[in-house]
Amino acid sequence: MGISADLHAIGRPMLDAQLAHPTVRGISAGDLPETVFRSWLEQDYLFLLDYVRVFSRLAWQAPDAHLGDLVDLAHATWHDELDLHRSLAAGFGADLDGAVKGPACAAYTSFLLESAADYGEGLAALYPCMWGYSTLGLILAADPPAEPRYRAWVDTYADPGFAALAARIAVMIDEAAPDPARARELFVRGMEHELAFWDVP
């Protein structure tokens, strides 16, 4: 079993905890209070800006065979995910430019940027975000919310193109072959950050 398959097995119970979180349940039902989603949207916007920086830091260390994938991941984050946030901002009254990182966002982005000092470890640390959101999107898309703004969120993360990018990271982790114990440690810490991130300030 490859490292990524091991991470999936470890991560699934932690993903179930996210599915049970009130914020995720509210998105799924389409009845999450707008104030909660606005706060989450601002925090995730700031997170994604640093997520692009993580990909950029990893690109400096990447083998040639992975470089294009990291460019694609950074591009998709900047143009697809951040465009979603920008498109939703006005409807929720979000102030993306004036937002300030809360503790969960600051802790998570610091963890990712520090982990990216090592190529294989950096991939393992960032994988919970891509794998987690892709899996959440696919699960929620089976019974999507009727509320169109929350439906747009689900559709973005259920998109097959996003799933393909997440799957490519799994292959890259296996090819980079970080120390398995260290990869598991960083992946679990990333999943813990993912769960904490739903506790919007």
Side-chain angles (χ1 to χ4, degrees), residues 2-199:
I3 296 173
S4 63
D6 189 24
L7 300 183
H8 295 161
I10 294 170
R12 185 56 208 232
M14 304 178 81
L15 185 74
D16 289 341
Q18 291 187 54
L19 284 166
H21 193 283
T23 302
V24 178
R25 291 206 316 268
I27 292 172
S28 177
D31 60 4
L32 183 69
E34 290 195 5
T35 54
V36 176
F37 192 79
R38 178 172 64 243
S39 180
W40 177 88
L41 192 68
E42 291 173 347
Q43 292 300 300
D44 200 54
Y45 181 82
L46 297 175
F47 169 84
L48 289 173
L49 290 176
D50 277 348
Y51 206 51
V52 173
R53 294 182 173 98
V54 171
F55 287 131
S56 299
R57 186 174 193 190
L58 291 174
W60 279 102
Q61 309 168 61
D64 291 347
H66 291 184
L67 185 56
D69 297 295
L70 289 164
V71 171
D72 290 344
L73 288 159
H75 184 275
T77 303
W78 182 265
H79 289 284
D80 297 336
E81 291 190 76
L82 284 171
D83 279 356
L84 170 72
H85 289 53
R86 296 181 188 107
S87 70
L88 292 173
F92 286 95
D95 180 10
L96 301 182
D97 293 330
V100 177
K101 287 181 183 178
C105 182
Y108 196 2
T109 54
S110 294
F111 162 71
L112 289 175
L113 288 164
E114 291 169 6
S115 298
D118 178 274
Y119 183 67
E121 292 183 3
L123 290 175
L126 69 81
Y127 190 48
C129 184
M130 292 292 298
W131 175 74
Y133 273 58
S134 176
T135 308
L136 286 174
L138 290 172
I139 292 171
L140 298 183
D143 184 19
E147 208 284 343
R149 296 171 299 177
Y150 294 138
R151 175 65 181 265
W153 187 94
V154 171
D155 288 346
T156 294
Y157 294 108
D159 185 88
F162 189 82
L165 290 172
R168 178 58 185 148
I169 294 181
V171 174
M172 292 162 66
I173 292 170
D174 291 340
E175 292 174 348
D179 175 74
R182 181 64 174 156
R184 287 192 293 269
E185 176 191 348
L186 291 168
F187 180 81
V188 167
R189 287 176 61 191
M191 290 297 292
E192 290 170 346
H193 281 294
E194 283 290 317
L195 182 59
F197 204 92
W198 293 114
D199 294 327

